[in-house]
């Protein structure tokens, strides 16, 4: 299978432009890789090299994580990134099978997470939230994030069930204190997972089953954050936060001990500067699809997160219903005409 020889080659990529196996495999040095080609590798040297090559001028790299069951959602996310003019993305695949499938899509750069960031084999399905298999997968998402932070890169993490409608990086970098007109720097900007169903009185965190945090001054549960979309500014505060998240996850092993649980708990513990992203510009699935929340003035949000719904088939159906399923197989059929990427107003006309 394409990519296995990478273990011995160290600084070479193995390209599989058309199929998983059974065809010619092209071997090139990492120094000669071309970002428009789909490829994958599985060594720490390659991971570090790709971080350097994929990072934008601000030192920001976009990371995503998937197992083979969510590769179709990676295709969809990648198509939306390309449409938004964003190309500094890097996928961490659960295993060889994931990266081999993901790299069928042009422009994909995938690094095999197994052996680099974790030892265990992960389940292959697109499992529902709330299951133990789902919890075991999402518990590992911060490991490559921590590695990128340790090497001095800012990280913008995005789940694969997200569609990018425009490029939020300038907006995010400005608010993180990394823009030209730098204001007070923030260590973390994180998506809100707020829904009115979480509005309730509380006296302790145990009274808040979604946010796990109680605002003791107001006696109301604090809004929950979503660990599926966030920006971490490189530095000691971000390193300490992610280390705390991983320590929390290591202390639990049940289906409730997901990354999102650990994020919410760690934000209550940590001494860091953070803000939730405005819900209308970075909506979760309940806000956008159920409640119809939109930015003022008729603008599109930057992203739409297709959460607050169970099952990969239901997620795909909802994306299709709203004309946000941008892939057919491993091609971006809905956003490309020939070799020309559609402009954002043309994409909007499809919806």
């Amino acid at each position: 299978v394409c990519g296995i020889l990478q273990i011995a080659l160290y600084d070479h990529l193995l390209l599989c432009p058309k199929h998983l196996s059974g065809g010619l495999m092209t071997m090139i040095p990492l120094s000669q890789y071309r970002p428009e080609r789909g490829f994958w590798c599985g060594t720490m040297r390659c991971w570090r090299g790709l971080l350097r090559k994929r990072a934008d001028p601000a030192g920001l790299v976009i990371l995503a994580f998937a197992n083979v069951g969510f590769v179709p959602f990676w295709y969809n996310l990648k198509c939306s990134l390309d449409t938004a003019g964003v190309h500094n993305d890097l996928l961490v695949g659960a295993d060889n099978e994931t990266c081999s499938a993901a790299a069928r899509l042009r422009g994909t750069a995938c690094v095999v997470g197994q052996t680099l960031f974790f030892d265990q084999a992960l389940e292959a399905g697109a499992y529902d939230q709330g299951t133990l298999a789902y919890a075991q997968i999402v518990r590992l998402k911060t490991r490559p994030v921590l590695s990128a932070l340790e090497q001095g890169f800012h990280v913008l993490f995005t789940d694969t069930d997200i569609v990018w409608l425009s490029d939020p990086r300038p907006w995010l970098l400005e608010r993180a204190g990394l823009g030209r007109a730098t204001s007070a720097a923030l260590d973390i900007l994180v998506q809100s997972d707020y829904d009115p169903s979480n509005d309730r009185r509380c006296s302790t965190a145990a009274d808040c089953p979604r946010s796990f945090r109680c605002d003791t001054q107001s006696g109301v549960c604090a809004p929950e954050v979503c660990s599926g979309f966030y920006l971490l500014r490189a530095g000691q505060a971000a390193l300490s936060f992610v280390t705390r998240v991983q320590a929390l996850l290591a202390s639990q092993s049940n289906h409730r001990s997901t990354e999102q649980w650990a994020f919410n708990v760690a934000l209550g513990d940590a001494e860091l500067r953070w803000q939730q992203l405005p819900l209308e510009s970075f909506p979760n699935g309940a806000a956008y699809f159920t409640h119809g929340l939109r930015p003022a003035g008729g603008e599109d949000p930057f992203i739409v997160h297709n959460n607050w719904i169970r099952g990969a088939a239901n997620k795909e159906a909802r994306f299709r219903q709203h004309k946000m399923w941008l892939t057919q197989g491993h091609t971006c059929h809905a956003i490309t005409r020939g070799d020309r990427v559609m402009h954002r107003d043309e994409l909007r006309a499809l919806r």
Side-chain angles (χ1 to χ4, degrees):
V1 178
C2 185
I4 290 178
L5 293 181
Q6 173 63 39
I7 296 172
L9 295 170
Y10 294 104
D11 60 348
H12 283 65
L13 301 169
L14 218 52
L15 303 185
C16 284
K18 296 186 180 299
H19 26 58
L20 301 181
S21 60
L24 294 176
M25 297 181 295
T26 304
M27 204 161 36
I28 65 170
L30 176 59
S31 60
Q32 297 178 17
Y33 100 98
R34 296 295 179 266
E36 68 274 8
R37 304 175 69 178
F39 61 87
W40 58 285
C41 62
T43 69
M44 186 57 67
R45 182 173 179 176
C46 183
W47 160 250
R48 290 170 177 164
L50 285 175
L51 285 173
R52 292 191 298 270
K53 290 180 178 294
R54 298 296 256 194
D56 67 13
L60 176 73
V61 63
I62 298 168
L63 296 183
F65 184 98
N67 70 341
V68 70
F70 268 93
V71 164
F73 287 88
W74 162 252
Y75 293 161
N76 199 59
L77 169 63
K78 176 61 175 169
C79 290
S80 75
L81 288 167
D82 288 347
T83 300
V86 178
H87 306 292
N88 63 318
D89 50 272
L90 181 55
L91 176 66
V92 177
D95 48 30
N96 285 342
E97 184 181 8
T98 302
C99 279
S100 186
R104 289 182 169 189
L105 182 65
R106 178 182 177 184
T108 293
C110 186
V111 176
V112 179
Q114 192 176 17
T115 71
L116 282 184
F117 306 115
F118 47 86
D119 295 325
Q120 66 267 44
L122 298 181
E123 299 285 350
Y127 292 98
D128 292 348
Q129 185 176 6
T131 64
L132 184 58
Y134 174 87
Q136 290 172 336
I137 292 171
V138 300
R139 288 162 62 90
L140 303 174
K141 286 161 48 178
T142 57
R143 296 192 181 181
V145 171
L146 180 61
S147 176
L149 289 171
E150 288 173 339
Q151 295 169 68
F153 295 98
H154 313 299
V155 174
L156 177 53
F157 185 90
T158 177
D159 271 351
T160 56
D161 60 346
I162 287 176
V163 162
W164 289 43
L165 302 182
S166 60
D167 184 0
R169 290 176 299 173
W171 191 97
L172 292 169
L173 290 171
E174 192 68 40
R175 281 149 186 82
L178 298 168
R180 294 179 180 177
T182 301
S183 56
L186 295 171
D187 302 306
I188 303 179
L189 289 159
V190 59
Q191 186 183 30
S192 172
D193 214 24
Y194 172 76
D195 186 75
S197 63
N198 193 38
D199 286 339
R200 63 186 68 196
R201 305 293 298 178
C202 63
S203 57
T204 69
D207 299 325
C208 303
R210 295 200 62 85
S211 72
F212 307 101
R213 289 177 291 117
C214 177
D215 185 336
T216 54
Q217 290 186 341
S218 65
V220 177
C221 289
E224 180 186 14
V225 304
C226 177
S227 61
F229 188 88
Y230 58 87
L231 184 145
L232 284 169
R233 177 186 173 124
Q236 188 55 51
L239 288 169
S240 298
F241 171 74
V242 178
T243 300
R244 173 60 175 153
V245 167
Q246 294 184 355
L248 286 166
L249 291 171
S251 69
Q252 303 288 331
S253 60
N254 59 70
H255 71 281
R256 291 281 291 169
S257 58
T258 64
E259 180 195 36
Q260 184 147 314
W261 160 78
F263 256 64
N264 280 277
V265 174
L267 284 173
D269 294 344
E271 293 184 4
L272 73 168
R273 301 156 297 181
W274 69 279
Q275 286 183 2
Q276 287 194 25
L277 295 168
L279 193 58
E280 66 275 9
S281 297
F282 300 86
N284 60 56
Y288 187 88
F289 296 110
T290 304
H291 303 301
L293 182 66
R294 301 291 188 273
E299 291 295 316
D300 286 333
F302 287 115
I303 66 160
V304 176
H305 195 166
N306 194 3
N307 61 351
W308 283 84
I309 189 171
R310 288 182 181 272
N314 292 329
K315 287 176 180 284
E316 180 179 337
R318 188 158 73 174
F319 267 152
R320 288 184 182 274
Q321 179 186 355
H322 291 267
K323 303 298 188 293
M324 293 180 178
W325 192 253
L326 310 177
T327 175
Q328 181 175 0
H330 47 82
T331 59
C332 299
H333 75 102
I335 62 170
T336 58
R337 295 175 182 167
D339 293 327
R340 186 175 70 86
V341 177
M342 293 176 64
H343 295 295
R344 185 163 172 259
D345 57 343
E346 294 179 290
L347 177 63
R348 185 184 295 111
L350 295 174
R351 297 202 294 275

